[in-house]
């Protein structure tokens, strides 16, 4: 991990000189996108056009708290190295809330659909929502700037909780489609148009699944079921989390007949991620791969993100997540794959171990680091808890592991940060083990303040923020409560995308 110790030394040197180099601040992710400065939340308008991946995002150009929402912009050729540009859609009298983009039929104009958020100041100086309506903007410079059309807002039902349009053209009906969530009613409303200006309601979906939280950021896409010619439509939403009072994403599988989404019978809610910081995810439009879609999400949560201990910037994006539909013994499920293919070029030589047996103890790899990827294959041998302690300092650690006794896979961030910035943050997130799994494979992407865990090659995921101490770079494999058999351990450092 020379890169990291070098990074650490530079940090020290910069500090002594009284400044920190951009992208070297404490907690700054080194292989995940975050804006150079200021607040960021949802990804918006993800689209691939002329071999460039565009990432727009909810951005406050004026500070590192939520506010003045505009569409920030970054581009990439590989969805890993990002270059940030000027704001693509700035706030006006209204803020520019989340939405999506699509390529116009002329194949030259990019179209953005977003929620225009009209607001006023309430007597306490807070924001009072006047209305949330939908607007359209067009770009004639390949996505670097957008101009609102004169007819805006194009869709106004007078609601204060009506947002996050997903725009797409359906060749079957030759119509533009827009899905908008009626957040408090737990509904997604489907509209159609031929000119992007006049919109007609054609159906609505919901409530179904988890309705504990507001429904936000709908997405809809078609996927084949792996290894078959069955095609299904998947509706994803940011709403609901297995843990009450938290935010997360859920999905529905079914068919979209051109006007209506008809869900298949499944034991809803189905969750996209079992951590607390994978939110507002949407997929890239205009891609040509047929077997998967690629999603990025905000690594954060409105439950506590305004308090997180980062400075200059606040908020980061997940790694790109390729999503597939797979037939499991419980039915069709959305799965991903660990994003190694995106990151391979950044990996160091691995530290490898095979057949490592631990009995109530720990093993420390011969290096330290805060940006690395670990693949562990742990055999199910009884009641032991086994896994890896990461981002460890004298007082803090984050634990990722398998509790075979309880039958769960977990990220424990109870003691992951010295700053007790918000009580809702601290705790343990877990997902159930399938008892038929003989061995459990965890692909753990650790990046300063982000932990993304892919279970069984991406069948399930857990994503969480953590805020370790500056010297929290110790890594330890561990077994507790008996013996553990690590069939395989593979740990590689990941080079920074910013240097
Ligand atoms: C989701 C969300 C969206 C909204 C945006 C505002 O995180 O609440 O519903 O458009 O953030 O920033």
């Amino acid at each position: 991990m020379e890169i990291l110790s070098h990074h650490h030394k530079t940090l020290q040197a910069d500090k002594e000189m009284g400044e920190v180099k951009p992208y070297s601040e404490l907690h700054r992710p080194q292989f995940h996108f975050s804006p150079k400065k200021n607040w960021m939340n949802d990804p918006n308008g993800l689209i691939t056009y002329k071999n460039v991946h565009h990432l727009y995002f909810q951005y406050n150009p004026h500070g590192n708290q939520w506010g003045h929402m505009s569409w920030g912009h970054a581009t990439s050729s590989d969805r890993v190295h990002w270059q940030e540009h000027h704001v693509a859609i700035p706030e006006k009298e209204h803020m520019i809330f989340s939405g999506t983009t699509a390529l116009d039929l002329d194949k030259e104009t990019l179209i953005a659909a977003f929620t225009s958020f009209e607001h006023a100041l309430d007597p306490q100086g807070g924001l009072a929502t006047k209305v949330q309506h939908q607007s359209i903007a067009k770009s004639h410079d390949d996505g670097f700037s957008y101009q609102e059309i004169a007819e805006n807002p194009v869709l106004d039902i007078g609601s204060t909780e009506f947002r996050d349009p997903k725009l797409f053209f359906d060749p079957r009906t030759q119509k533009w489609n827009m899905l908008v969530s009626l957040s408090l009613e737990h509904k997604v409303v489907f509209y159609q148009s031929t000119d992007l200006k006049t919109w007609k309601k054609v159906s609505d979906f919901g409530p179904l699944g988890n309705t504990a939280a507001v429904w936000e950021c709908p997405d809809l896409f078609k996927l084949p079921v792996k290894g078959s010619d069955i095609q299904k439509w998947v509706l994803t939403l940011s709403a609901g989390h297995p843990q009450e009072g938290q935010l997360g994403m859920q999905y529905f599988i079914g068919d979209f007949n051109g006007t209506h989404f008809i869900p298949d019978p499944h034991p809803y809610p189905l969750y996209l991620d079992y951590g607390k910081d994978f939110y507002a995810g949407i997929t890239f439009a205009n891609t040509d791969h047929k077997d998967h879609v690629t999603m990025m999400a905000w690594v954060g949560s409105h439950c506590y993100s305004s308090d997180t201990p980062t400075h200059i910037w606040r908020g980061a994006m997940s790694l790109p997540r390729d999503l597939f539909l797979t037939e499991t013994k419980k039915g069709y499920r959305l799965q991903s794959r660990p994003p190694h293919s995106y990151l391979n070029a950044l990996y160091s030589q691995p530290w490898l171990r095979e057949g490592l047996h631990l009995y109530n103890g720990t093993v420390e790899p011969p290096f330290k680091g805060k940006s690395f990827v670990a693949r562990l294959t742990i055999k199910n041998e009884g009641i032991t808890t086994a896994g890896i302690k990461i981002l460890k300092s004298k007082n803090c650690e984050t634990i990722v592991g398998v509790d075979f006794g309880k039958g769960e896979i977990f990220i424990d961030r109870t003691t992951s940060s010295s700053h007790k910035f918000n009580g809702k943050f601290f705790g343990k997130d877990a997902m159930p083990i399938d008892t038929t799994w003989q061995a459990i494979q965890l692909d753990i992407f650790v990046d300063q303040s982000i932990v993304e865990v892919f279970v069984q090659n991406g069948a399930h995921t857990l994503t969480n923020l953590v805020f370790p101490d500056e010297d929290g770079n110790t890594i330890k494999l561990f077994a507790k409560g008996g013996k553990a058999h690590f069939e395989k351990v593979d740990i590689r450092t990941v080079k920074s995308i910013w240097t």
Side-chain angles (χ1 to χ4, degrees):
M1 304 232 163
E2 288 99 77
I3 298 148
L4 287 154
S5 58
H6 169 74
H7 170 68
H8 187 71
K9 272 182 217 144
T10 332
L11 227 163
Q12 285 295 96
D14 286 342
K15 269 202 171 157
E16 276 149 30
M17 287 175 355
E19 60 177 278
V20 179
K21 268 201 351 227
Y23 304 108
S24 300
E25 306 89 347
L26 179 64
H27 304 313
R28 173 74 88 171
Q30 294 301 304
F31 59 93
H32 287 77
F33 175 78
S34 57
K36 190 167 179 188
K37 57 179 188 178
N38 298 330
W39 167 277
M40 181 194 81
N41 54 292
D42 313 357
N44 295 150
L46 302 181
I47 191 163
T48 304
Y49 179 55
K50 294 187 179 167
N51 296 321
V52 176
H53 303 294
H54 292 266
L55 162 62
Y56 304 97
F57 48 90
Q58 284 291 280
Y59 185 58
N60 178 358
H62 305 293
N64 74 348
Q65 285 295 346
W66 186 93
H68 299 287
M69 298 323 292
S70 304
W71 278 25
H73 184 209
T75 54
S76 172
S77 58
D78 59 5
R79 297 195 181 113
V80 175
H81 294 84
W82 294 98
Q83 195 190 348
E84 195 176 339
H85 305 287
H86 56 77
V87 165
I89 315 182
E91 155 190 62
K92 294 189 179 155
E93 327 61 68
H94 51 261
M95 292 194 204
I96 315 297
F97 269 17
S98 288
T100 52
T101 56
L103 181 59
D104 203 349
L105 304 183
D106 66 5
K107 304 270 179 224
E108 279 173 14
T109 312
L110 290 176
I111 306 167
F114 56 86
T115 300
S116 28
F117 171 72
E118 305 275 0
H119 52 85
L121 285 186
D122 67 23
Q124 283 77 40
L127 274 186
T129 307
K130 287 213 276 197
V131 65
Q132 296 184 349
H133 39 46
Q134 319 314 319
S135 292
I136 297 284
K138 294 193 175 183
S139 173
H140 302 287
D141 63 356
D142 296 346
F144 287 86
S145 66
Y146 286 80
Q147 289 76 46
E148 290 205 31
I149 63 171
E151 293 80 359
N152 279 342
V154 292
L155 180 55
D156 181 3
I157 58 166
S159 170
T160 54
E161 297 280 351
F162 179 55
R163 57 183 177 271
D164 308 336
K166 157 76 180 181
L167 175 74
F168 67 99
F169 185 78
D170 189 345
R172 294 175 301 178
T173 53
Q174 290 291 306
K175 297 235 165 86
W176 287 100
N177 290 254
M178 186 152 77
L179 278 59
V180 190
S181 72
L182 266 179
S183 303
L184 296 185
E185 291 166 47
H186 306 111
K187 280 188 177 171
V188 175
V189 192
F190 288 65
Y191 295 89
Q192 281 185 343
S193 170
T194 46
D195 60 4
L196 296 162
K197 297 170 191 162
T198 317
W199 291 89
K200 190 173 149 250
K201 178 177 167 181
V202 289
S203 68
D204 57 25
F205 164 77
L208 186 68
N210 188 319
T211 55
V214 288
W215 279 20
E216 305 183 310
C217 302
D219 198 353
L220 180 72
F221 44 84
K222 190 162 82 174
L223 280 176
V225 176
K226 235 188 203 171
S228 82
D229 11 294
I230 299 168
Q231 303 268 343
K232 284 277 149 195
W233 287 81
V234 180
L235 179 68
T236 59
L237 276 177
S238 288
H241 185 277
Q243 245 166 286
E244 191 68 26
Q246 295 289 336
L247 297 170
M249 290 188 68
Q250 62 180 324
Y251 67 96
F252 303 89
I253 303 170
D255 290 302
F256 174 59
N257 65 8
T259 52
H260 292 66
F261 177 78
I262 305 119
D264 290 348
H266 284 286
Y268 299 117
L270 297 174
Y271 294 112
L272 241 98
D273 191 284
Y274 285 84
K276 293 213 186 78
D277 298 299
F278 190 83
Y279 198 70
I282 53 165
T283 58
F284 279 87
N286 201 40
T287 54
D288 50 15
H289 28 69
K290 301 269 179 284
D291 66 331
H292 68 273
V293 289
T294 305
M295 176 177 274
M296 289 177 82
W298 172 39
V299 184
S301 167
H302 288 298
C303 295
Y304 41 70
S305 274
S306 56
D307 300 328
T308 54
T310 65
H311 300 288
I312 314 267
W313 95 101
R314 192 178 265 119
M317 280 307 157
S318 72
L319 292 170
R321 219 169 259 194
D322 292 347
L323 301 177
F324 303 84
L325 258 190
T326 308
E327 178 154 25
T328 71
K329 56 182 188 305
K330 291 184 178 155
Y332 300 142
R333 290 292 182 274
L334 202 53
Q335 301 194 337
S336 58
R337 64 178 159 213
H340 295 296
S341 59
Y342 287 104
L343 298 170
N344 262 329
L346 299 172
Y347 289 165
S348 69
Q349 287 297 316
W351 181 74
L352 287 173
R353 281 294 173 276
E354 273 184 33
L356 179 75
H357 292 268
L358 279 183
Y359 187 83
N360 251 345
T362 61
V363 153
E364 208 173 315
F367 50 75
K368 295 183 183 296
K370 285 170 117 177
S371 292
F372 59 95
V373 47
R375 170 176 279 193
L376 314 178
T377 312
I378 311 174
K379 200 130 189 254
N380 186 349
E381 288 197 340
I383 55 156
T384 326
T385 301
I388 189 164
K389 299 186 174 189
I390 54 176
L391 304 168
K392 199 171 158 47
S393 57
K394 191 160 163 276
N395 297 317
C396 293
E397 64 184 15
T398 298
I399 312 169
V400 180
V402 187
D403 184 335
F404 288 105
K406 267 200 185 154
E408 63 182 32
I409 294 164
F410 64 88
I411 303 183
D412 187 349
R413 61 176 181 185
T414 313
T415 59
S416 64
S417 168
S418 299
H419 302 265
K420 300 288 172 259
F421 56 90
N422 185 316
K424 280 200 182 153
F425 177 85
F426 297 90
K428 188 169 163 184
D429 293 289
M431 54 151 283
I433 296 180
D434 184 325
T435 45
T436 61
W437 294 342
Q438 296 299 307
I440 288 170
Q441 183 178 296
L442 304 177
D443 286 88
I444 309 167
F445 296 79
V446 182
D447 192 10
Q448 310 286 322
S449 50
I450 296 176
V451 182
E452 291 188 65
V453 181
F454 291 75
V455 177
Q456 301 302 59
N457 212 28
H460 305 278
T461 56
L462 299 101
T463 305
N464 268 353
L465 284 169
V466 286
F467 298 98
D469 289 337
E470 190 154 351
D471 63 347
N473 55 7
T474 299
I475 304 168
K476 278 186 181 178
L477 299 166
F478 76 95
K480 201 177 125 199
K483 120 172 128 68
H485 177 186
F486 292 82
E487 287 185 331
K488 223 169 172 187
V489 177
D490 177 330
I491 307 182
R492 304 164 192 232
T493 60
V494 184
K495 248 192 281 178
S496 175
I497 56 171
W498 303 117
T499 50

